[in-house]
C-alpha cells in the first residue's frame, strides 16, 4: 500500500493472502485513495464469494494463479486502458451467474433489467444526444 501511494502506478497486482492486511482490504484502501488506479487480484480462489467481494471493492481484474502465466500481460494491458479482465473460468462464472439471475426473474432480454430512466438514457444515447447530469439542490 505504501508503494502504491508513493509510486502511483496505473495498475497494482496483489494477492488475496498477504501479511498484515489481506488483499481485499488493501485493494479497498488503495481504491478509496485513488479510484482511477487499476487493481488486479491474483488468487488461487475460484469461489464466487471471493470474486464478488473483489468486485464490490472495485477491482478491475481477477486472475487465477493457475492461468497467470498466460493471462497476466493481457490483464495488465486491459486494466491499464481502463477495462476489466478476468481469467476465463472467472468469466464463465460471471456469465453463468448473470444467466441464472435472468432465468430466476423470468427475463429473456437484458434490456428488461433496466429501469425506466435507464431505458430513457439509453434511447437518448442511441439518438446521439448528450446526457446532462441533473443539478443537485441542497436545502
Amino acid at each position: 500500500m505504501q508503494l502504491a501511494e508513493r509510486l502511483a502506478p496505473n495498475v497494482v497486482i496483489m494477492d488475496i493472502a498477504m501479511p498484515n492486511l489481506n488483499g481485499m482490504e488493501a485493494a479497498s484502501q488503495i481504491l478509496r485513495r485513488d479510484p482511477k488506479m487499476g487493481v488486479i487480484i491474483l488468487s488461487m480462489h475460484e469461489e464466487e464469494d471471493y470474486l464478488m467481494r473483489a468486485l464490490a471493492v472495485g477491482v478491475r481484474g481477477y486472475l487465477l494463479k493457475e492461468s497467470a502465466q498466460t493471462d497476466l500481460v493481457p490483464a495488465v494491458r486491459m486494466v491499464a486502458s481502463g477495462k476489466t479482465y478476468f481469467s476465463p473460468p472467472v468469466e464463465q462464472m460471471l456469465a453463468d451467474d448473470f444467466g441464472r439471475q435472468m432465468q430466476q426473474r423470468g427475463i429473456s432480454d437484458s434490456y428488461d433489467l433496466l429501469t425506466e430512466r435507464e431505458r430513457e438514457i439509453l434511447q437518448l444515447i442511441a439518438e446521439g444526444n448528450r446526457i446532462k447530469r441533473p443539478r443537485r439542490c441542497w436545502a
Side-chain angles (χ1 to χ4, degrees), residues 5-120:
E5 189 173 338
R6 185 166 44 92
L7 300 175
N10 292 331
V11 178
V12 173
I13 302 167
M14 62 178 51
D15 197 341
I16 288 179
M18 299 187 316
N20 303 325
L21 186 65
N22 73 58
M24 296 293 187
E25 184 56 35
S28 178
Q29 289 182 27
I30 287 169
L31 290 167
R32 264 187 258 136
R33 289 183 185 142
D34 185 357
K36 293 179 184 174
M37 193 174 293
V39 176
I40 298 173
I41 295 287
L42 186 59
S43 177
M44 65 179 207
H45 301 287
E46 196 172 335
E47 295 83 16
E48 190 172 346
D49 58 327
Y50 284 97
L51 174 61
M52 292 304 141
R53 281 192 284 166
L55 292 173
V57 301
V59 304
R60 285 192 267 154
Y62 193 97
L63 302 182
L64 298 176
K65 288 182 180 180
E66 65 192 35
S67 63
Q69 187 173 8
T70 57
D71 289 344
L72 190 58
V73 172
V76 169
R77 288 182 179 146
M78 291 288 284
V79 171
S81 71
K83 298 178 179 140
T84 58
Y85 189 95
F86 303 101
S87 291
V90 174
E91 280 183 346
Q92 186 62 52
M93 186 186 335
L94 289 170
D96 291 347
D97 185 56
F98 180 73
R100 201 171 30 255
Q101 286 184 30
M102 288 185 60
Q103 188 176 28
Q104 288 171 349
R105 295 178 185 182
I107 297 171
S108 60
D109 186 348
S110 59
Y111 181 78
D112 295 332
L113 294 171
L114 300 176
T115 66
E116 194 61 40
R117 178 65 178 151
E118 290 167 334
R119 290 178 189 178
E120 180 184 338

Side-chain angles (χ1 to χ4, degrees), residues 119-134:
R119 290 178 189 178
E120 180 184 338
I121 290 170
L122 183 60
Q123 182 64 39
L124 290 169
I125 292 169
E127 293 170 359
N129 296 310
R130 295 182 74 82
I131 309 300
K132 293 182 181 178
R133 288 184 150 179

